Amino acid sequence: MPCRAARRLYKTLGRRGCFLAILGTGKTCWGVSFLVAPPGDRGLKLLTQLCDLRHWSWLWIICGLITFGSAVVRVGRDWFGFAAAIIPPTVWALAYTHAVITGDYSRGGFVALWYLTSHVGVILWAATVPEYSVPRVPRPARRGKAA
């Protein structure tokens, strides 16, 4: 029974929807972690000059919920989820890049590259993946027994 439910959910969501659901859950959880126990602001002074990291956590949470909600939207209209998914890691990458340029956090360049490759790059790639793959090659017909 659980396998049937999982197959039905996968069929409903499709490949892109599954990706958006997983990504949205992850971004929401990441945002909640900033809300519950915010880390140090090392490298994020550009953001913390505007407001506290607890406030910035809502960017992750809201974008994560939008991304998750876009999982059930029809292909072609799910672009909104991919766009929402890109926003938080791009903001963080910009903040870390700014920290490197100003000399506040020398390691920030590596963190910025990590956000740009493992987050933004993967999201941009997944947005181009088609929902339907090439169909399987049909099996040749079996030969019947002569009567």
Side-chain angles (χ1 to χ4, degrees), residues 52-98:
D52 190 40
L53 281 180
R54 288 179 189 239
H55 294 100
W56 282 104
S57 70
W58 287 103
L59 177 69
W60 287 92
I61 294 168
I62 292 169
C63 287
L65 292 173
I66 292 170
T67 302
F68 183 84
S70 296
V72 295
V73 177
R74 205 174 67 207
V75 175
R77 295 185 180 183
D78 59 356
W79 66 268
F80 199 73
F82 288 104
I86 287 178
I87 294 170
T90 303
V91 170
W92 255 244
L94 289 171
Y96 281 116
T97 303
H98 180 267

Side-chain angles (χ1 to χ4, degrees), residues 25-49:
T25 302
K27 290 191 179 307
T28 303
C29 290
W30 186 248
V32 170
S33 76
F34 276 101
L35 191 62
V36 172
D41 64 347
R42 183 133 192 212
L44 298 172
K45 291 194 191 248
L46 179 67
L47 301 178
T48 57
Q49 288 174 352

